[in-house]
Amino acid sequence: MDLKDKKVPEVVIRRLSRYYRYLDELDKDGKTRISSTALSKKMGVTASQIRQDFNYFGGFGQQGYGYNVQYLLAELKKLLGITNGYRLVIVGAGNLGHAIANYGGLKKRGFKLLGIFDNDKEKIGKKVGNIEISDISKIKDFISENKIDIAILTLPKDATEEVAEMLMDSGVRGFWNFSYTELKSKNEVFVENVHLTDSLMTLSFKISQNRL
Amino acid sequence: MDLKDKKVPEVVIRRLSRYYRYLDELDKDGKTRISSTALSKKMGVTASQIRQDFNYFGGFGQQGYGYNVQYLLAELKKLLGITNGYRLVIVGAGNLGHAIANYGGLKKRGFKLLGIFDNDKEKIGKKVGNIEISDISKIKDFISENKIDIAILTLPKDATEEVAEMLMDSGVRGFWNFSYTELKSKNEVFVENVHLTDSLMTLSFKISQNRL
C-alpha cells in the first residue's frame, strides 16, 4: 500500500496502535468478525470515525459484514511495521532501561532488542535477560554492524542530545526518547518523545476539578 | 476557578501538561513574558488554538502584551493539581515501579510518594530511595490511614483489576495504570491507562512508511 501521496494525520496514526491492541485481543479470543459499531464501542470513537481512519489505508473490508479480524490485524501489522522486525538498542541501563528490556510486548510487536549500553562500569558486563550490557564507547560500531533501526533513550537529560547525534550519524532512523528533553524529528529521522508524567498530570487535573 | 459548568475537551486537558512543561522551562530561563506567537511555535499549535485553550480557564492575560510566564505557570499549577500535594503509592516494585519511584519529576509536580507495595517476599523490606517496600497485604489500612489519592499500578495484567477494586474501596480516587489491561473510569474514580508501546508503534509506522 503506497501512502506517500496521502498525508495521514498524526491523530489517525496514533489510533492505529490502539486498533492493533483491540484487534489482537479479539483474535486471541477467537473472534473472526467485528462490526464497525462493536469496534467503535470498544475504541470509544464513532463508527464513522473508524471508517474515515481506515479509508486512509484502502478501507479494510465491507461495512455491511463488519471487518474480518484476522485480515484487519494482518494489515495493521504491516502498516505499523510489526512485520519488519525492526532492530533496537537501549541506551541507558537504569531501572527504566531494564523495565523496557524485560517487557514482553516488544518481542510480540516484532521488535528485536539486540543491545543495551551504559557508561557505568558497575553495570557493563551484567546481563538483562540474555543481553549483556555493553560499554557505550562501543555503540557506534555496534549500530552499523547490526543495522540498528531504533534507539531507545533512557539517559540523563544532559547527555541525550549528544548521544542522539552520534547515533543518527551511525544510521539510527528512529528514537524512542524517555529522557526529559525534546529531541526533534529531522529529514528521515523520526522521534517519539515520551513524557510519562503528562498522563499523570491529566489524571491529577481530573481529580482536582472533580473536587472543586 | 470553577470549571464545573464548562466541559473541557480531553485534548485540551492533555495539552495543559505540555503548556506546564514549556512554561516551567521559560521560568527557569528567567523569562517573564512570552507572546502567543512564540508559545505557539514552541508548542507546535496555532496561536489561535492556544487562545481557545486558555479561554476555558478565563484567558490567562492579554494577547497584546503576551502572557506573564510566572502568572500563567502558577495558574497551570493550580489547574493541574500540582499545588494540592496529592499522595501516591506504587503497587508493584519491579523495574518500572523502581524507575517511577526514583523519578524526580514526581516531587517536582507536587506529588508525595508515601508507599511502595509488592507481594514478593524477596522485595518486601528493601528500600527504594527512603521508602521501604511493604507487604501488599497491608495496603488497605495504609491507604485509609494515609489518605492516599492516587495509586500507580505496575502489576501483572491478571492481578490488576482485583487490586484496583480493593484500592477503590479503600478510597483511592485515581489510577495511573501501567499494567497491560484497560481499567475504566467510573463515578468519581479516574484512570489513566498508559500503553507505552503505542508511541513506539507510531515511530515504527513513520519509519516504515518513509521506507516505502
XYZ file of all heavy atoms in Angstrom, chain B residues 73-142:
535
model
N 2.189 30.094 34.740
C 2.703 28.882 35.367
C 1.960 28.585 36.672
O 1.556 27.443 36.935
C 4.202 29.049 35.623
C 4.993 27.839 36.089
C 4.897 26.690 35.099
C 6.465 28.215 36.296
N 1.755 29.620 37.475
C 1.049 29.451 38.752
C -0.387 28.972 38.523
O -0.888 28.090 39.234
C 1.055 30.773 39.534
N -1.046 29.538 37.507
C -2.418 29.122 37.199
C -2.455 27.666 36.721
O -3.335 26.901 37.105
C -3.030 30.041 36.120
C -3.315 31.457 36.588
C -4.374 31.490 37.690
O -5.415 30.846 37.556
O -4.118 32.169 38.722
N -1.503 27.313 35.884
C -1.442 25.936 35.392
C -1.199 24.958 36.537
O -1.781 23.874 36.587
C -0.341 25.784 34.330
C -0.666 26.379 32.955
C 0.586 26.434 32.071
C -1.752 25.549 32.245
N -0.342 25.362 37.463
C -0.072 24.502 38.625
C -1.340 24.249 39.429
O -1.604 23.137 39.870
C 0.998 25.137 39.529
C 2.411 24.931 39.032
C 3.408 25.503 40.031
C 4.833 25.239 39.562
N 5.832 25.883 40.437
N -2.125 25.307 39.592
C -3.380 25.140 40.325
C -4.310 24.195 39.571
O -4.873 23.267 40.138
C -4.060 26.513 40.526
C -3.560 27.251 41.755
C -4.425 28.492 42.022
C -3.697 29.736 41.525
N -4.519 30.951 41.571
N -4.471 24.474 38.269
C -5.372 23.659 37.448
C -4.971 22.186 37.457
O -5.815 21.298 37.543
C -5.346 24.148 35.995
C -6.182 25.373 35.673
C -5.891 25.823 34.259
C -7.668 25.044 35.839
N -3.680 21.947 37.358
C -3.194 20.570 37.236
C -3.090 19.872 38.586
O -2.657 18.722 38.670
C -1.835 20.559 36.523
C -1.898 20.901 35.027
C -0.499 21.173 34.478
C -2.557 19.763 34.248
N -3.483 20.560 39.635
C -3.464 19.938 40.959
C -2.073 19.836 41.557
O -1.861 19.161 42.559
N -1.087 20.508 40.938
C 0.290 20.443 41.432
C 0.382 21.053 42.826
O 1.171 20.629 43.658
C 1.250 21.152 40.435
C 1.311 20.342 39.135
C 2.644 21.353 41.028
C 2.157 20.953 38.041
N -0.474 22.054 43.085
C -0.460 22.704 44.391
C -1.216 21.905 45.456
O -1.228 22.274 46.624
C -1.108 24.107 44.291
O -2.363 23.979 43.602
C -0.231 25.054 43.509
N -1.840 20.797 45.053
C -2.644 20.027 46.011
C -1.847 18.979 46.786
O -2.353 18.398 47.723
C -3.806 19.320 45.292
C -4.793 20.304 44.708
O -4.709 21.496 44.968
N -5.721 19.812 43.904
N -0.632 18.719 46.334
C 0.198 17.733 47.027
C -0.444 16.359 47.114
O -0.537 15.768 48.201
N -0.909 15.853 46.001
C -1.562 14.535 46.011
C -0.625 13.443 46.530
O 0.575 13.464 46.289
C -2.076 14.184 44.609
C -3.315 14.955 44.248
C -3.425 15.585 43.013
C -4.370 15.074 45.142
C -4.564 16.313 42.678
C -5.503 15.801 44.820
C -5.592 16.414 43.596
O -6.709 17.142 43.288
N -1.238 12.502 47.230
C -0.483 11.460 47.921
C -0.567 10.153 47.129
O -1.644 9.705 46.763
C -1.037 11.301 49.340
C -0.943 12.639 50.116
C -1.904 12.724 51.271
N -1.485 11.953 52.422
C -0.637 12.395 53.339
N -0.135 13.611 53.256
N -0.298 11.625 54.355
N 0.593 9.555 46.891
C 0.668 8.404 45.996
C 1.205 7.154 46.667
O 1.990 7.233 47.607
C 1.636 8.680 44.826
C 1.654 10.003 44.089
C 2.759 9.959 43.025
C 0.323 10.240 43.423
N 0.789 6.017 46.138
C 1.508 4.759 46.392
C 1.806 4.115 45.043
O 1.110 4.355 44.060
C 0.702 3.743 47.242
C 0.515 4.237 48.669
C -0.633 3.412 46.595
N 2.856 3.299 45.041
C 3.157 2.477 43.873
C 2.837 1.036 44.241
O 3.245 0.561 45.299
C 4.641 2.599 43.469
C 4.942 4.027 42.969
C 5.008 1.570 42.395
C 6.410 4.281 42.651
N 2.088 0.352 43.397
C 1.815 -1.063 43.640
C 2.554 -1.868 42.579
O 2.255 -1.763 41.387
C 0.302 -1.365 43.590
C 0.039 -2.768 44.118
C -0.488 -0.330 44.384
N 3.525 -2.659 43.032
C 4.389 -3.390 42.108
C 5.785 -2.791 42.131
O 5.994 -1.713 41.606
N 6.728 -3.497 42.779
C 8.070 -2.943 42.957
C 9.076 -3.569 42.002
O 10.202 -3.881 42.365
C 8.515 -3.105 44.404
N 8.648 -3.764 40.758
C 9.572 -4.245 39.723
C 10.406 -3.103 39.177
O 10.464 -2.023 39.776
N 11.034 -3.324 38.028
C 11.887 -2.292 37.440
C 11.124 -1.001 37.167
O 11.618 0.087 37.432
C 12.494 -2.791 36.120
C 13.583 -3.807 36.363
O 14.477 -3.597 37.171
N 13.505 -4.931 35.674
N 9.928 -1.141 36.622
C 9.158 0.055 36.296
C 8.752 0.797 37.573
O 8.845 2.027 37.644
C 7.925 -0.315 35.464
C 7.116 0.853 34.928
C 7.974 1.786 34.080
C 5.923 0.353 34.110
N 8.326 0.046 38.593
C 7.993 0.659 39.880
C 9.181 1.422 40.447
O 9.038 2.553 40.933
N 10.352 0.807 40.362
C 11.572 1.482 40.819
C 11.848 2.749 40.003
O 12.194 3.794 40.544
C 12.780 0.541 40.701
C 12.946 -0.372 41.874
N 12.171 -1.500 42.059
C 13.797 -0.322 42.940
C 12.554 -2.105 43.179
N 13.529 -1.410 43.736
N 11.718 2.616 38.679
C 12.002 3.758 37.800
C 11.104 4.942 38.155
O 11.562 6.085 38.254
C 11.821 3.361 36.338
N 9.825 4.654 38.378
C 8.884 5.731 38.704
C 9.202 6.321 40.081
O 9.207 7.533 40.263
C 7.431 5.220 38.643
C 7.090 4.829 37.199
C 6.450 6.270 39.158
C 5.773 4.086 37.043
N 9.487 5.433 41.044
C 9.794 5.898 42.399
C 11.009 6.822 42.403
O 11.062 7.798 43.144
C 10.033 4.708 43.319
N 11.974 6.519 41.556
C 13.213 7.305 41.531
C 13.121 8.548 40.660
O 14.067 9.338 40.588
C 14.374 6.432 41.024
C 14.780 5.389 42.051
O 14.775 5.657 43.253
N 15.110 4.200 41.586
N 12.009 8.709 39.973
C 11.888 9.819 39.034
C 11.603 11.140 39.763
O 10.576 11.319 40.410
C 10.778 9.526 38.025
C 10.539 10.663 37.074
C 11.582 11.155 36.296
C 9.300 11.279 36.976
C 11.388 12.211 35.446
C 9.098 12.345 36.116
C 10.151 12.811 35.359
O 9.956 13.874 34.522
N 12.550 12.057 39.654
C 12.464 13.338 40.355
C 11.262 14.178 39.956
O 10.815 15.029 40.713
N 10.749 13.939 38.770
C 9.614 14.724 38.262
C 8.363 14.628 39.115
O 7.533 15.531 39.109
N 8.206 13.549 39.843
C 7.024 13.387 40.704
C 6.998 14.462 41.782
O 6.000 15.150 41.983
C 7.011 12.018 41.377
C 6.688 10.779 40.526
C 6.571 9.566 41.433
C 5.421 10.982 39.720
N 8.100 14.557 42.488
C 8.202 15.514 43.586
C 8.054 16.932 43.071
O 7.346 17.759 43.649
C 9.563 15.336 44.270
C 9.606 15.904 45.658
C 10.892 15.528 46.365
C 10.980 16.212 47.723
N 12.299 15.953 48.348
N 8.711 17.185 41.964
C 8.666 18.495 41.326
C 7.230 18.905 41.017
O 6.892 20.088 41.052
C 9.473 18.397 40.027
C 9.847 19.707 39.449
C 10.740 19.530 38.251
C 10.703 20.808 37.463
N 9.870 20.927 36.355
N 6.392 17.926 40.681
C 4.999 18.218 40.357
C 4.098 18.134 41.592
O 2.880 18.002 41.479
C 4.523 17.261 39.262
C 5.044 17.644 37.895
C 4.886 16.549 36.883
N 5.422 16.951 35.588
C 6.710 17.032 35.297
N 7.607 16.737 36.230
N 7.123 17.414 34.102
N 4.711 18.168 42.762
C 3.941 18.261 43.989
C 3.444 16.936 44.538
O 2.763 16.901 45.565
N 3.753 15.839 43.853
C 3.248 14.550 44.323
C 4.078 14.031 45.490
O 5.291 14.192 45.517
C 3.267 13.520 43.182
C 2.332 13.860 42.067
C 2.808 14.341 40.856
C 0.961 13.735 42.243
C 1.943 14.675 39.829
C 0.082 14.071 41.210
C 0.575 14.535 40.006
N 3.378 13.401 46.431
C 4.064 12.829 47.585
C 3.973 11.319 47.530
O 2.899 10.751 47.750
C 3.420 13.343 48.871
C 3.651 14.832 49.044
C 3.015 15.368 50.313
C 3.296 16.860 50.411
N 2.132 17.626 50.861
N 5.079 10.681 47.232
C 5.099 9.222 47.199
C 5.285 8.707 48.622
O 6.308 8.961 49.254
C 6.236 8.732 46.289
C 6.384 7.218 46.210
C 5.146 6.573 45.595
C 7.625 6.848 45.396
N 4.289 7.993 49.141
C 4.330 7.590 50.548
C 4.559 6.099 50.753
O 4.972 5.679 51.831
C 3.026 8.017 51.241
C 2.790 9.527 51.296
C 1.476 9.832 51.999
C 3.935 10.236 52.001
N 4.262 5.290 49.753
C 4.437 3.854 49.959
C 4.654 3.093 48.662
O 4.241 3.540 47.597
N 5.347 1.953 48.785
C 5.542 1.046 47.648
C 5.201 -0.355 48.138
O 5.655 -0.765 49.213
C 6.998 1.084 47.143
C 7.387 2.525 46.777
C 7.190 0.160 45.944
C 8.844 2.675 46.375
N 4.402 -1.059 47.376
C 3.908 -2.365 47.831
C 4.196 -3.460 46.804
O 4.201 -3.221 45.588
C 2.386 -2.282 48.075
C 2.045 -1.385 49.226
C 1.931 -0.009 49.045
C 1.882 -1.907 50.497
C 1.649 0.830 50.123
C 1.594 -1.087 51.566
C 1.479 0.297 51.386
N 4.421 -4.661 47.335
C 4.625 -5.815 46.471
C 4.226 -7.059 47.269
O 4.066 -6.998 48.489
C 6.095 -5.906 46.027
C 6.242 -6.633 44.695
O 5.971 -7.868 44.648
O 6.609 -5.989 43.691
N 4.053 -8.178 46.580
C 3.760 -9.417 47.300
C 4.958 -10.362 47.309
O 4.880 -11.480 47.809
C 2.520 -10.124 46.717
C 2.758 -10.570 45.280
O 3.828 -10.326 44.721
N 1.766 -11.212 44.693
N 6.079 -9.889 46.758
C 7.279 -10.723 46.659
C 8.109 -10.593 47.936
O 8.639 -9.522 48.248
C 8.083 -10.268 45.429
C 9.341 -11.086 45.226
O 9.716 -11.857 46.129
O 9.953 -10.938 44.158
N 8.220 -11.707 48.680
C 8.944 -11.684 49.962
C 10.391 -11.210 49.804
O 10.968 -10.635 50.720
C 8.937 -13.095 50.590
C 7.536 -13.663 50.834
C 6.940 -13.220 52.172
C 5.506 -13.708 52.366
N 4.489 -12.665 52.099
N 10.967 -11.462 48.649
C 12.350 -11.021 48.384
C 12.460 -9.491 48.347
O 13.503 -8.934 48.617
C 12.801 -11.542 47.009
C 12.781 -13.039 46.837
C 14.164 -13.616 47.080
O 15.116 -13.118 46.464
O 14.284 -14.557 47.901
N 11.371 -8.860 47.951
C 11.409 -7.402 47.786
C 10.966 -6.663 49.052
O 11.473 -5.576 49.346
C 10.507 -6.981 46.616
C 11.105 -7.330 45.265
C 10.156 -6.965 44.126
C 10.727 -7.431 42.791
N 9.678 -7.639 41.783
N 10.031 -7.263 49.778
C 9.476 -6.606 50.962
C 10.581 -6.319 51.975
O 11.394 -7.199 52.278
C 8.356 -7.476 51.589
C 7.183 -7.582 50.611
C 7.898 -6.918 52.935
C 6.206 -8.691 50.917
N 10.624 -5.088 52.478
C 11.641 -4.704 53.460
C 12.816 -3.981 52.827
O 13.522 -3.231 53.490
N 13.021 -4.186 51.522
C 14.106 -3.465 50.839
C 13.683 -2.020 50.620
O 12.504 -1.691 50.602
C 14.431 -4.132 49.502
C 15.105 -5.487 49.701
C 15.871 -5.933 48.475
C 16.655 -7.213 48.805
N 16.495 -8.244 47.787
N 14.674 -1.161 50.424
C 14.351 0.259 50.269
C 14.476 0.750 48.824
O 15.368 0.327 48.091
C 15.263 1.094 51.168
C 14.802 1.102 52.618
C 15.417 2.260 53.389
C 14.602 2.570 54.639
N 15.087 3.783 55.317
N 13.576 1.639 48.457
C 13.701 2.374 47.195
C 13.781 3.832 47.600
O 12.817 4.385 48.133
C 12.469 2.158 46.290
C 12.691 2.820 44.936
C 12.147 0.682 46.131
N 14.924 4.452 47.368
C 15.136 5.788 47.940
C 15.005 5.656 49.446
O 15.647 4.790 50.051
N 14.156 6.442 50.069
C 13.987 6.274 51.523
C 12.647 5.620 51.899
O 12.202 5.724 53.028
C 14.165 7.617 52.253
C 13.300 8.701 51.617
O 12.423 8.384 50.797
N 13.517 9.940 51.993
N 12.046 4.920 50.928
C 10.792 4.227 51.217
C 11.006 2.713 51.214
O 11.603 2.164 50.289
C 9.715 4.594 50.170
C 9.436 6.097 50.231
C 8.436 3.801 50.415
C 8.506 6.578 49.145
N 10.496 2.096 52.266
C 10.643 0.648 52.370
C 9.489 -0.035 51.626
O 8.336 0.380 51.749
C 10.604 0.261 53.846
C 11.225 -1.093 54.127
C 11.371 -1.303 55.637
O 12.352 -0.802 56.238
O 10.481 -1.968 56.212
N 9.799 -1.057 50.880
C 8.752 -1.799 50.173
C 7.936 -2.590 51.204
O 8.494 -3.321 52.022
C 9.366 -2.756 49.131
C 10.159 -1.955 48.092
C 8.283 -3.602 48.450
C 10.988 -2.798 47.135
N 6.615 -2.416 51.174
C 5.740 -3.068 52.159
C 4.973 -4.221 51.533
O 4.801 -4.296 50.312
C 4.728 -2.073 52.716
O 5.374 -0.961 53.275
N 4.493 -5.077 52.432
C 3.680 -6.222 52.012
C 2.326 -5.727 51.509
O 1.659 -4.944 52.188
C 3.499 -7.156 53.211
C 2.924 -8.503 52.792
O 2.070 -8.531 51.878
O 3.344 -9.518 53.381
N 1.941 -6.197 50.352
C 0.680 -5.772 49.735
C -0.514 -6.043 50.665
O -1.519 -5.330 50.614
C 0.474 -6.471 48.364
C -0.785 -5.994 47.636
C 0.435 -7.980 48.502
C -0.572 -4.829 46.742
N -0.369 -7.017 51.560
C -1.475 -7.338 52.474
C -1.784 -6.168 53.418
O -2.835 -6.119 54.035
C -1.148 -8.594 53.281
O -0.106 -8.311 54.194
N -0.842 -5.245 53.529
C -1.049 -4.111 54.441
C -1.559 -2.862 53.745
O -1.707 -1.797 54.371
C 0.269 -3.776 55.149
C 0.750 -4.923 56.033
C 1.997 -4.559 56.796
C 2.455 -5.760 57.632
N 3.922 -5.780 57.810
N -1.852 -2.976 52.467
C -2.109 -1.754 51.698
C -3.441 -1.088 52.060
O -3.545 0.134 52.081
C -2.001 -2.013 50.173
C -1.824 -0.689 49.419
C -3.202 -2.791 49.628
C -1.437 -0.839 47.964
N -4.471 -1.881 52.389
C -5.793 -1.295 52.665
C -5.736 -0.307 53.821
O -6.204 0.824 53.720
C -6.816 -2.400 52.981
C -7.457 -3.000 51.761
C -8.650 -3.862 52.112
C -9.919 -3.045 52.164
N -11.117 -3.867 51.790
N -5.155 -0.767 54.938
C -5.039 0.113 56.097
C -4.179 1.330 55.778
O -4.499 2.454 56.173
C -4.416 -0.646 57.284
C -5.373 -1.707 57.818
O -6.578 -1.629 57.481
O -4.923 -2.614 58.544
N -3.108 1.083 55.043
C -2.194 2.171 54.699
C -2.905 3.267 53.915
O -2.733 4.456 54.182
C -1.011 1.621 53.886
C 0.084 2.625 53.650
C 1.165 2.717 54.511
C 0.040 3.484 52.557
C 2.176 3.651 54.295
C 1.044 4.426 52.335
C 2.114 4.502 53.202
